[in-house]
Amino acid sequence: MEIEKVQNIALNFNSIPSEFIRSESEQPAVTTVHGTVLEVPTIDFSEVDDDKLVDVISKASQDWGLFQVVNHGIPTQVIQNLQRVGKEFFELPQQEKEIYSKPPPGEGYVGGEGYSNKLGKNTDTVRAWVDHLFHNIWPPSAINFHFWPKNPPSYREANEEYAKYLIGVTEKLMKCWSKGLGLEENKIKEAGGGEEIVYLAKINYYPPCPRPELALGVGAHTDLSMLTILVPNHVPGLQVCRDGLWYNVRYIPNALIIHIGDQLEVLSNGKYKAVLHRTTVNKEETRMSWPIFIEPPPHHEVGPVSDLIDEHNPANYKTKKFSDYKYCKLNRLPQ
């Protein structure tokens, strides 16, 4: 049975339905450290000293699992176009958005692309205050244009242009992570799937919530990708867990927010840390975000890079197909 979209619930209810109310141990009003906004590391991508850039990226990835990149080379207009077409899609009539819904289970499609508000099986008793759209944007062999909205008409052009720039940012990051581990610069890319690495785009739509102190847009989690590159709209909402406490993250205009994901933690044998984060919602305004999850191809086996393993540094993680890892994580099964 299809679950009603959160966007419709927000329009038709003056109070929050009970299935969205978090336990007191999760409610942002109770668990957020108020009055403190985290200044996560900010990294200038135009740094000409390669060793310095490797050092700051490596340190932020070890200590935080999260950082913001400025002077990244993606034109502001390209990001604004991406955000504009995503916003226009979610403003379409519901019937038109449903054209891009995820196929129901049992219809033969096993991917995660499409318009929906759930991930994996419905194992949670509390719902997230968010709707989303997923589709692959790179490489061409992974793209299924069935899940790309045809309206607004410039949707495809805006996403393809953004992807073109994002590939360069991603490859530069992966080279820095490799060097930070003492490896050849292409090692992380190769160990993560090489030219078959998949760029999975997502648009998160968090409509105004009548009781934002009781709900979450997305609960606490780490990303199952290698890395995530995210741009938000102007409404804050990202929170990061530090020393068991939840803090709001300060946004920097035009910056890219970089999350270390599970697969990079595995590849680095735990040197780089996947960041535990969650999303809050707003009473007055719609929050949106555009993460791109950079993932190994489904069939690719991921484990600690062999050059990092010896008798003094045993493997801390299993080697397994990414598709198996993803299935277990989304369905809350043991890894």
Side-chain angles (χ1 to χ4, degrees), residues 25-333:
S25 64
E26 285 189 285
Q27 289 174 12
V30 176
T31 56
T32 300
V33 176
H34 298 280
T36 302
V37 179
L38 279 186
E39 303 278 359
V40 305
T42 302
I43 295 174
D44 187 343
F45 232 37
S46 65
E47 171 61 59
V48 295
D49 185 333
D50 285 348
D51 291 340
K52 184 176 179 181
L53 187 61
V54 167
D55 183 62
V56 293
I57 288 176
S58 182
K59 191 172 190 309
S61 302
Q62 292 177 61
D63 297 344
W64 286 80
L66 177 86
F67 52 91
Q68 301 193 65
V69 170
V70 297
N71 296 323
H72 42 69
I74 304 179
T76 300
Q77 189 62 53
V78 170
I79 294 175
Q80 289 176 344
N81 287 341
L82 175 84
Q83 294 174 315
R84 174 182 54 80
V85 296
K87 182 173 181 287
E88 289 176 2
F89 169 75
F90 275 92
E91 291 173 347
L92 293 173
Q94 188 62 35
Q95 186 174 1
E96 190 166 351
K97 293 196 289 284
E98 295 291 353
I99 294 171
Y100 305 98
S101 291
K102 292 183 181 181
E107 291 196 1
Y109 180 71
V110 295
E113 297 177 271
Y115 170 62
S116 185
N117 54 17
K118 60 184 179 180
L119 296 169
K121 295 179 181 177
N122 290 323
T123 54
D124 284 335
T125 56
V126 183
R127 291 182 61 188
W129 191 265
V130 63
D131 296 328
H132 55 248
L133 174 69
F134 275 108
H135 58 75
N136 293 335
I137 61 169
W138 192 261
S141 59
I143 293 175
N144 184 344
F145 285 115
H146 171 76
F147 296 110
W148 290 48
K150 293 181 174 60
N151 192 10
S154 57
Y155 186 92
R156 176 171 172 174
E157 180 185 359
N159 277 265
E160 288 180 334
E161 185 74 0
Y162 183 60
K164 181 178 72 176
Y165 283 99
L166 205 66
I167 292 164
V169 172
T170 300
E171 298 205 345
K172 186 172 179 177
L173 284 169
M174 288 193 288
K175 287 179 180 179
C176 288
W177 281 317
S178 291
K179 291 179 179 179
L181 295 168
L183 303 171
E184 295 179 3
E185 66 175 26
N186 289 324
K187 199 68 176 183
I188 287 294
K189 179 180 176 180
E190 292 169 359
E195 297 301 326
E196 292 185 282
I197 287 173
V198 175
Y199 290 60
L200 174 62
K202 183 185 184 188
I203 307 174
N204 289 312
Y205 186 93
Y206 310 93
C209 178
R211 298 291 304 277
E213 73 277 9
L214 302 179
L216 287 172
V218 180
H221 68 288
T222 58
D223 291 345
L224 53 78
S225 56
M226 290 172 62
L227 68 145
T228 303
I229 301 179
L230 178 145
V231 292
N233 70 350
H234 66 285
V235 181
L238 176 62
Q239 292 193 334
V240 167
C241 187
R242 296 284 286 175
D243 302 319
L245 302 173
W246 287 100
Y247 295 87
N248 293 310
V249 172
R250 187 184 304 280
Y251 289 165
I252 298 173
N254 301 316
L256 303 176
I257 302 173
I258 312 297
H259 295 193
I260 304 301
D262 297 344
Q263 305 311 302
L264 186 56
E265 181 172 319
V266 169
L267 289 169
S268 69
N269 203 34
K271 184 173 182 180
Y272 301 141
K273 305 295 185 184
V275 62
L276 184 64
H277 59 288
R278 70 183 186 182
T279 301
T280 60
V281 290
N282 191 282
K283 187 172 184 177
E284 307 296 336
E285 296 187 276
T286 295
R287 179 176 185 267
M288 295 186 70
S289 66
W290 288 259
I292 306 293
F293 302 99
I294 288 88
E295 304 179 342
H299 62 272
H300 189 73
E301 290 196 343
V302 180
V305 174
S306 59
D307 293 2
L308 302 176
I309 306 304
D310 57 33
E311 58 181 327
H312 304 294
N313 299 284
N316 296 320
Y317 304 85
K318 297 177 182 176
T319 295
K320 63 194 308 181
K321 283 185 182 178
F322 178 63
S323 58
D324 294 339
Y325 183 94
K326 190 171 189 175
Y327 180 85
C328 289
K329 179 148 185 173
L330 291 177
N331 294 291
R332 309 292 176 87
L333 300 172

